[in-house]
Amino acid sequence: MKFVPGCCHCGGCGPATVDATALCGGTGSPLTGFTFDLRDSGDTTTLATQTGSSASFTGLDGTLSYKVRVSKTGYHTKTSGTLTPGCGGTSTTAVSTWPTTYSRTWHLYLNDDMGQCPHEGVTVAVTGDATASGSTDSSGNVTLSLSSTSTSVTQSL
């Protein structure tokens, strides 16, 4: 009989774990209400599904590689890079995603000798990865709702 240093359950591979969270833009607190799909390394087959702000897939074959896909209505569906936890190991990933629709407010003021005077009735048009237009109110503000057409975390507007 041979002894292999570090052998866990000699003749087999100890169970592995993949942990995942969904973060808005890759930073901040975990997002809630997401579906986490554990996928094969080719991203073709869903092996397990969990819902919440994070997921922990346990009892996995540590010799295989996996990916985690996160999805939620109103957010971009994103997939992690390849994860290979190893025998008895744990791989952890944070998957970056963000809303497909978002709002931004612009403030238009005229700076003169009297200070900042708001501009009312000015049309503001946004083009690029999202498009929208609207007119400023009496306070010089316009809020536009933008629908992202890009899957890039950085939007060009």
Side-chain angles (χ1 to χ4, degrees):
M1 174 187 233
K2 291 183 180 180
F3 173 73
V4 180
C7 175
C8 57
H9 308 294
C10 292
C13 184
T17 300
V18 170
D19 293 330
T21 57
L23 300 176
C24 187
T27 61
S29 300
L31 298 167
T32 61
F34 273 79
T35 298
F36 295 83
D37 295 323
L38 182 67
R39 315 270 296 167
D40 64 11
S41 61
D43 194 23
T44 56
T45 304
T46 298
L47 305 171
T49 300
Q50 294 181 17
T51 303
S53 60
S54 63
S56 184
F57 300 100
T58 60
L60 304 176
D61 182 339
T63 64
L64 299 178
S65 296
Y66 305 92
K67 291 185 179 183
V68 177
R69 182 176 62 189
V70 297
S71 60
K72 180 180 178 179
T73 301
Y75 285 78
H76 290 281
T77 298
K78 300 302 279 187
T79 303
S80 74
T82 302
L83 306 163
T84 307
C87 290
T90 299
S91 287
T92 302
T93 186
V95 182
S96 178
T97 188
W98 53 93
T100 55
T101 302
Y102 54 96
S103 295
R104 290 292 177 259
T105 300
W106 284 269
H107 313 281
L108 297 177
Y109 300 97
L110 175 64
N111 289 316
D112 61 15
D113 293 338
M114 298 174 59
Q116 291 185 337
C117 300
H119 260 348
E120 180 179 5
V122 175
T123 299
V124 174
V126 174
T127 60
D129 287 334
T131 58
S133 65
S135 296
T136 57
D137 61 18
S138 61
S139 299
N141 300 324
V142 61
T143 300
L144 301 177
S145 179
L146 304 164
S147 293
S148 171
T149 58
S150 170
T151 58
S152 172
V153 70
T154 304
Q155 302 290 295
S156 295
L157 303 175

